[in-house]
Amino acid sequence: MVVEWKVEAGLQPYEAAVEAMEARVAAIRAGAARELVWLLEHPPLYTAGTSARPGDLLDPARLPVHRTGRGGELTYHGPGQRVVYLMLDLQRRGPDLRAYVWRLEEWVIRTLERFGIRGERRPGRIGIWVVGPDGAEAKIAALGVRVRRWVTFHGLAINLAPDLEHFAGIVPCGIRQHGVTSFAALGLTTSMSELDDALLDTFGAVFEDRWLKPSAAGETRR
């Protein structure tokens, strides 16, 4: 299968991104568009998934809050965080949501390995976790997916160098016992383009696909 790969320049409004995903999912389902991996950044905001609890929004006035249909609880998006939205047809790939989530996790883990970061799964805790020098665990990547008629949308977010202070306005993903971290907090000066290159390089090995590579201008090409 050939997957379109798009890297978006600038900060993308959240509601517009959701509308674009909705339209693409419908087109994929109708056989009128290719599957898509869409990389972007949002302005500072919180999103509340279908399992979000009101008490986990600690500072409602801090940032805009967007209710969304993805699974999961509250999370933060903002500059310096690579958001990856995947619109893939699981009817063709195999209608197995657990296998799909495992592949998302594996993709992040293999990408982090490129930068010397050991990302790990934790039973009962969604996302990818790292263990700091002090032994404390912190989340470096969040996952939140939705599936409509076996076409996926939403996806994951990797903390490259976001403002981690904004996470203080919520209980991220409903987990109070552990914090969040980033490439920058771990002492790495990785650029967004370097992270994108690693995501592109590791995608095929996990999802067994070819893709349309992005051009420098952010458009897609073969």
Side-chain angles (χ1 to χ4, degrees):
M1 292 179 232
V2 179
V3 180
E4 184 180 354
W5 185 278
K6 184 177 181 181
V7 180
E8 200 75 54
L11 302 179
Q12 305 303 308
Y14 185 76
E15 295 295 347
V18 172
E19 289 179 6
M21 281 193 286
E22 295 268 3
R24 186 61 172 244
V25 165
I28 292 169
R29 190 73 185 98
R34 294 183 186 274
E35 296 174 307
L36 173 66
V37 178
W38 188 19
L39 284 70
L40 50 79
E41 291 176 86
H42 288 304
L45 56 89
Y46 298 129
T47 65
T50 55
S51 301
R53 294 170 290 191
D56 287 346
L57 181 59
L58 305 178
D59 188 356
R62 185 172 188 139
L63 293 173
V65 180
H66 296 266
R67 303 289 169 181
T68 181
R70 64 157 174 81
E73 303 187 38
L74 280 157
T75 194
Y76 165 74
H77 291 315
Q81 182 188 70
R82 177 48 86 209
V83 175
V84 185
Y85 292 138
L86 299 95
M87 286 139 272
L88 303 179
D89 187 353
L90 297 188
Q91 191 65 55
R92 295 169 58 201
R93 294 170 174 274
D96 187 331
L97 185 56
R98 288 186 179 182
Y100 172 64
V101 171
W102 185 92
R103 287 180 185 271
L104 288 181
E105 295 169 339
E106 188 68 15
W107 184 29
V108 175
I109 289 170
R110 294 192 189 192
T111 298
L112 295 178
E113 285 177 351
R114 296 292 183 95
F115 304 98
I117 300 172
R118 181 175 179 178
E120 301 177 332
R121 299 175 177 88
R122 288 291 181 268
R125 281 192 257 145
I126 194 70
I128 299 301
W129 300 79
V130 299
V131 179
D134 59 355
E137 296 182 7
K139 179 182 283 191
I140 196 168
L143 277 70
V145 303
R146 188 175 180 184
V147 177
R148 178 175 297 154
R149 297 180 68 186
W150 290 112
V151 178
T152 71
F153 54 126
H154 296 278
L156 58 93
I158 301 174
N159 295 332
L160 185 68
D163 183 351
L164 295 181
E165 287 298 318
H166 284 315
F167 283 95
I170 59 173
V171 178
C173 300
I175 299 172
R176 297 176 182 271
Q177 302 91 338
H178 304 282
V180 293
T181 191
S182 66
F183 279 57
L186 295 173
L188 299 176
T189 57
T190 308
S191 69
M192 191 68 77
S193 61
E194 289 173 326
L195 176 57
D196 291 348
D197 287 345
L199 286 165
L200 181 63
D201 287 345
T202 55
F203 181 83
V206 176
F207 289 91
E208 300 177 348
D209 282 308
R210 295 177 294 123
W211 49 84
L212 299 178
K213 295 183 179 180
S215 70
E219 297 299 325
T220 52
R221 60 178 173 82
R222 287 189 182 276

